[in-house]
Amino acid sequence: FRWCPIRRKVYPENLPKVVDEADLPPLDVFICTADPYQEPPMEVVNTALSVLAFDYPSNKISVYVSDDGGSQMTLFALIQGSKFAKFWLSFCRKHDLSNRCPKVFFRDDSDHQLTSGISQEEFQNMKVSYEEMRTKVEHVMEQGCVGDDMLVNEEERQVFNQWKVNGFTRQDHPTVIQVLMESLKDVDVSGTSLPNLIYLSRQKSKHIHHNYKAGALNALIRVSAIMTSAPTVLCLDCDMYCNNPQAARLALCHLLDPIEGSKIAFVQFPQRYRGINPSDIYNNEFTRPYIINPEGLDGIGAVNCVGSGPFFNRKAFYGGPTESEVNIFPGFNGGLENALDGKTMGSKLTLEAASRVADCNYEQGTKWGLTLGFRYGSMVEDFFTAFRMQCEGWRSFKCNDGHLD
Ligand SMILES: O=c1ccn([C@@H]2O[C@H](COP(=O)(O)OP(=O)(O)O[C@H]3O[C@H](CO)[C@@H](O)[C@H](O)[C@H]3O)[C@@H](O)[C@H]2O)c(=O)[nH]1
Ligand SMILES: [Mn+2]
């Protein structure tokens, strides 16, 4: 094991030489949450908004939120987030905001000193909409459930009726899947297509092991393969918002590289933490795993995956880099072909197929968790999966420029 530190630099301004703006690849983003009390739904919404607002063609972004907490409050928060997104995404684009996580934007810019070119009135209106959303979500959190009075129409009531079924608990419930924004139909206030936003709470049963986050991610890999199947996949913990709207373009500088690109399983951005005391006496910045080690490991093309902030090549979930035929749905007994032809992601056929692949017994008798998707059997599924991918011949790089946290 020999250290050969590497610091790569990317030039996103050269990306158009490799790919036209219109041909940029679609991007699927997976956000995992598991408990509405430990991971407040407003944080999940903020994380989702920070990627929905990427500086990237919005009709090519699909954000999937996996909720292992099976919480109606998290879904409620995301519905409110999708309404707010109509204003927020257009606002971010119009003013080319550098920080697109609304909570951080309003906190860091609360006195409206940092941002030029935004009128006081426009700033205040946006802040009021954000605060209204936050108040609603926090009210629901205090109540511990979504009351009828918080819902605006019959459609919303039907969605939350899914929780009224007898015996619905977070450990035992059917799959809940809701398309909250659909690019083909929905537009923001400026008339631009919105990205896709999908809520998924995979089926759970007390009798079948759910394999924690790795299980959640594998359900997301399959559901997204049916709905959008983007070649690039970003994974984020729900409490790790993205603070650089250019991140997808920076990652593509590696993944679309004509020479190295097809061998790369993922590029990993560092995790960064806020609110650390200035001298960081307890090393909460985790300099070794996020700053020192990755530079050495990059030298051998084998950077660790640290769970939040990797941009994956979807193919890496299905086998080694030289495997050509990818069987996405081993063990799926028919019916899927029609679903994949479905016109819209919200169509009945597509939703039924997506729901089937999120069944808690879908993986039985398949290679999921063994050679497919995120690997099971480790407390650190991110490190372990990356290691297995590297053993198969994949390479992985650290992304130095820009930053995700
Ligand atoms: O059954 C579960 C358990 C956890 N999670 C989610 O997994 C993420 C990480 O879990 P957490 O308990 O926050 O672990 P950390 O130690 O904070 O996370 C670090 O370590 C994990 C294990 O290596 C990685 O998965 C993470 O990406 C990395 O940030 C969170 O978004 C959770 O919501 C699930 O979706 N389902
Ligand atoms: Mn965490």
Side-chain angles (χ1 to χ4, degrees), residues 70-344:
S71 163
Q72 50 180 308
M73 298 178 291
T74 302
L75 174 57
F76 177 80
L78 286 163
I79 293 177
Q80 306 315 309
S82 66
K83 294 177 185 171
F84 175 70
K86 292 192 172 158
F87 300 92
W88 179 248
L89 267 50
S90 140
F91 180 76
C92 289
R93 222 179 13 252
K94 180 172 166 199
H95 299 293
D96 195 19
L97 297 192
S98 57
N99 202 326
R100 301 186 177 190
C101 172
K103 177 182 167 183
V104 180
F105 173 76
F106 291 121
R107 185 189 64 203
D108 292 356
D109 206 5
S110 55
D111 52 5
H112 195 216
Q113 294 294 306
L114 304 174
T115 319
S116 52
I118 305 178
S119 74
Q120 191 67 29
E121 192 193 355
E122 201 183 356
F123 182 89
Q124 282 309 328
N125 286 345
M126 192 54 63
K127 195 168 178 182
V128 167
S129 316
Y130 177 75
E131 290 303 328
E132 279 174 3
M133 162 171 72
R134 193 170 62 85
T135 313
K136 274 190 209 161
V137 173
E138 283 175 4
H139 173 75
V140 159
M141 286 301 290
E142 276 163 28
Q143 301 287 307
C145 68
V146 182
D148 251 11
D149 55 323
M150 300 305 288
L151 304 173
V152 295
N153 55 33
E154 192 46 39
E155 203 186 329
E156 285 192 5
R157 273 182 208 106
Q158 285 200 359
V159 169
F160 288 94
N161 278 345
Q162 295 175 90
W163 272 266
K164 293 191 176 143
V165 174
N166 251 353
F168 188 117
T169 66
R170 58 178 294 180
Q171 294 94 359
D172 218 312
H173 66 82
T175 296
V176 180
I177 178 160
Q178 291 298 140
V179 178
L180 307 179
M181 291 183 346
E182 190 168 348
S183 203
L184 280 176
K185 296 199 300 209
D186 299 325
V187 289
D188 67 19
V189 287
S190 68
T192 307
S193 291
L194 282 165
N196 297 310
L197 175 63
I198 298 100
Y199 170 90
L200 171 74
S201 188
R202 63 190 164 126
Q203 187 189 28
K204 287 274 182 71
S205 158
K206 278 188 187 144
H207 309 292
I208 298 176
H209 202 290
H210 56 72
N211 291 300
Y212 310 103
K213 185 190 180 192
L217 287 168
N218 285 344
L220 283 175
I221 292 173
R222 294 191 297 269
V223 166
S224 65
I226 287 181
M227 295 185 137
T228 46
S229 202
T232 308
V233 174
L234 164 65
C235 299
L236 286 176
D237 290 358
C238 62
D239 52 2
M240 300 259 173
Y241 72 93
C242 175
N243 71 358
N244 185 348
Q246 295 291 324
R249 291 176 192 269
L250 298 175
L252 286 178
C253 288
H254 293 295
L255 294 169
L256 296 182
D257 184 287
I259 298 162
E260 296 285 341
S262 61
K263 300 174 207 151
I264 303 175
F266 64 89
V267 293
Q268 174 69 58
F269 282 83
Q271 292 187 14
R272 296 232 168 96
Y273 297 89
R274 288 177 187 262
I276 296 172
N277 73 43
S279 47
D280 192 17
I281 50 172
Y282 300 114
N283 191 21
N284 285 328
E285 224 185 325
F286 292 115
T287 36
R288 191 177 59 79
Y290 299 136
I291 297 164
I292 302 168
N293 281 4
E295 280 177 10
L297 290 167
D298 205 330
I300 52 171
V303 167
N304 290 326
C305 170
V306 292
S308 200
F311 281 80
F312 278 97
N313 173 352
R314 182 182 282 268
K315 278 190 189 153
F317 296 129
Y318 304 133
T322 50
E323 257 166 74
S324 49
E325 276 295 305
V326 173
N327 182 8
I328 307 181
F329 294 107
F332 201 97
N333 300 319
L336 196 66
E337 306 74 35
N338 298 338
L340 292 167
D341 289 343
K343 295 279 176 293
T344 62

